[in-house]
Every structure is written in structure tokens, then in C-alpha cells.
Amino acid sequence: MIDAAGLRVMRAISEQGSFTAAAASLGYTQPAISQMVRRLEQRTGTVLVERVGRNVRLTEAGRVLARHAGPVLAALDAAEEEVAAIAGLRSGRVRLMAFPSASATLVPRALSLVKQRFPDVHITFTEAEPPESIAALRAGECDLAIAFSYEGTDATRGEEDLDAFVVTPLLEDEVRLAMPREHPAAHEATAHLAELAQEPWIAGCPRCRGHLVQLADAAGFRPDVAYETEDYVAVMGLVAEGLGVALIPDLILRTVHHDQVVALPMEPASRRTITALTTPDLGRVPAVRATLEALIESAGSQSTAPTVRQPEPTFSI
């Protein structure tokens, strides 16, 4: 009902005492001021200005609008300045969620790039597995989610569709089979899942366990999951002690190593796709877009194969 232009006019009339002087102070014509006052009177349903000779005087209702104009217009000016700062990346906030192996690899580099380029953009980070991070994005609790999906599945385990999101692929991540260095199969060039059907297995998050069961089912057995942990440092320790074998993605092997563990490519190969998700509207927010671009750049630096400690050559005499 009451717009900012109307408030500016009421304040100018209060300060200047006439339509002509108010028009000059605002850069309007006198007829334009008269028209804006009439329109505001129609909207409010009451008289705001009374004419006294060549001058004008505000009515009680007009004085109320003029009194409130100052703080309201100041708040609008402050809001415009803050929005301009966000649009110009002089400010802004991004809430990022990522699963653990991404938080140890992709995220630190991306956060560093954003900090270097836009030091006034503030990013908060929370660790969460998909589909929890995607549910948070859908609920408006985060702005950008990093998720993964194995071949043949999507990032929500099929529980929900992703049509509401902008999905940006970051990288393809090969999954390898980790076993103790002393394991009889450790000298092979590739690992065949069916040959490890009798081994105890170490599994992580529900999605990773589901992937293991799916691969094992295709290989003709049901895995005996003896240990469950989402901590890949613990997984490597358990494998090194000969307590089981595990599936470990390349992204983990870039940061977690153990000299008593061999990680072999699998036959048939297994991969997962790592993606960044946001909404179409959030994707147009400069700070979110800048963070997404940094994630893409960080993923590009991870595109080379990790250094995987391979088994020592075996010689026969």
C-alpha cells in the first residue's frame, strides 16, 4: 500500500513545506509530486496534505508517514547496500555439506580458493552423507551439497528424484579392493570379488554397504560384514591387521595410506560419481556460484590417479 517513493515524497514535503520545493529536492517535477500524493492518498484512504495558500501542511496521517519515512528508508538503503555487497562478492554466506572423503580432499582446496579470491565470503561447512545432505538442501538447511552415487544408483538411493536440483558432476572415482599385503591375492594385477567370497569384510556407511552387497550379489555370494566403521583410517588399520578386506574409493587413497595395505583395481571395475547439488535459484547467488566453481577446480586437481602402494614383485627361484 505504501511504497518507498511515496515515503520519500512525504518526508520531502515535511522538510521543504511546499510541492515545488519538495520536487526540486527530489529531482521531480511539481506535477509529479502532486500525482504521487494523490495516489498515496487513494491507497491510504485518507487526506495526507492540506493546501494553505501557496504552501502545504501535512495532516496527522501525513505526519505519521513522514515520521516513519526516516527509519524505513534508512533500512531500505542498508538492505540495498548489503545486497549490492553480496552481488559483488564483497559479502555473502554459503552453507556447504559434504561426505567425509570429500571433506578431506575436495573441500579444503575449494574453501582455500574462495578465501583467496573473495575474503569477505563466509562459508560454513557440515559433514553429512547423502541422502541426508540432499534432504538438508531440499529443506533449505544448506546451499550446496556434495554427494556421491555408485553406478546404477542415484544420490538419493532412489528415494527421491533430483529434478528440483542443479546437479554438477565433479569427478569419477574408482573403487579399489584393499587387502593385507600378505594376502595370497595381493600380488595380482586386479582383484576378483568372487575369489574373496569367504573373507570377512569391513564396510562403512549404509550406501557403501549397499554397494558392497550389490557387487557381491552379482559375483554370486553374500559378504560376511564383520566390522562396520565410516572412519577410513580405522578401515585401513583393520585391513592391515588381516581382520578383513574392504572397498575403498580412490578419493580416500589420496589421503589415507598404510604400508601394510594393498589396494587393487577390481574386475569388473566399480566407480562412483561425485556431484555438487544446489537449487536453480541458489545457483544464481554469486557466493554459491563462486564456491561451486572452486569445487570444480578442486576436483580437477584430483583427476590424476592416486598413488597406491602396490605389492612387491614376486620372484621364483
Side-chain angles (χ1 to χ4, degrees):
M1 183 174 70
I2 302 170
D3 58 18
L7 287 176
R8 287 192 174 90
V9 167
M10 295 307 296
R11 182 175 65 177
I13 293 172
S14 174
E15 293 173 348
Q16 303 299 327
S18 71
F19 281 8
T20 301
S25 69
L26 294 175
Y28 295 156
T29 64
Q30 191 272 339
I33 292 291
S34 298
Q35 184 178 11
M36 294 173 75
V37 170
R38 285 196 299 270
R39 185 166 62 245
L40 194 57
E41 287 179 333
Q42 290 172 354
R43 290 177 176 177
T44 58
T46 189
V47 176
L48 300 175
V49 178
E50 56 180 327
R51 281 76 175 170
V52 183
R54 295 185 176 181
N55 296 323
V56 295
R57 183 169 58 205
L58 297 183
T59 65
E60 181 181 5
R63 290 194 299 272
V64 168
L65 289 182
R67 185 175 74 249
H68 285 285
V72 171
L73 293 173
L76 287 174
D77 290 342
E80 289 178 358
E81 174 58 29
E82 286 189 34
V83 171
I86 291 170
L89 286 172
R90 291 181 284 114
S91 180
R93 181 193 68 167
V94 180
R95 298 166 298 170
L96 174 65
M97 283 188 170
F99 57 94
S101 55
S103 69
T105 50
L106 298 177
V107 171
R109 177 59 179 160
L111 296 185
S112 176
L113 290 172
V114 173
K115 185 175 182 179
Q116 292 170 26
R117 296 165 182 171
F118 311 106
D120 295 322
V121 171
H122 179 61
I123 302 178
T124 59
F125 169 65
T126 305
E127 200 168 75
E129 295 278 1
E132 287 76 20
S133 58
I134 298 173
L137 179 62
R138 195 182 298 276
E141 296 168 359
C142 79
D143 305 308
L144 194 56
I146 305 177
F148 68 90
S149 57
Y150 289 104
E151 291 173 319
T153 64
D154 62 32
T156 62
R157 299 191 203 133
E159 296 164 2
E160 301 178 274
D161 63 65
L162 301 178
D163 292 344
F165 302 118
V166 176
V167 182
T168 303
L170 295 178
L171 59 85
E172 293 292 318
D173 196 25
E174 184 172 356
V175 180
R176 298 177 187 260
L177 204 153
M179 63 185 69
R181 177 166 294 284
E182 302 303 321
H183 193 283
H187 67 280
E188 301 288 346
T190 58
H192 296 269
L193 214 62
E195 297 176 359
L196 301 165
Q198 302 305 313
E199 297 286 343
W201 286 82
I202 304 158
C205 69
R207 169 163 304 194
C208 300
R209 291 197 299 273
H211 179 60
L212 168 60
V213 170
Q214 182 182 18
L215 291 178
D217 184 66
F221 71 96
R222 184 165 187 82
D224 172 21
V225 179
Y227 305 97
E228 297 184 18
T229 175
E230 298 181 24
D231 183 344
Y232 277 102
V233 174
V235 171
M236 295 291 268
L238 292 168
V239 172
E241 293 296 330
L243 297 171
V245 296
L247 301 181
I248 299 185
D250 273 353
L251 205 58
I252 293 295
L253 296 170
R254 299 177 198 280
T255 56
V256 180
H257 307 280
H258 199 296
D259 59 7
Q260 295 304 310
V261 175
V262 171
L264 300 178
M266 292 194 299
E267 181 63 40
S270 174
R271 296 179 180 85
R272 64 177 185 172
T273 301
I274 297 174
T275 55
L277 298 94
T278 189
T279 67
D281 289 337
L282 287 170
R284 294 192 292 270
V285 175
V288 174
R289 188 167 62 245
T291 305
L292 179 57
E293 291 171 356
L295 285 167
I296 294 171
E297 186 172 337
S298 177
S301 69
Q302 305 283 339
S303 60
T304 57
T307 302
V308 179
R309 188 176 179 85
Q310 296 295 344
E312 303 293 338
T314 301
F315 301 96
S316 299
I317 298 177

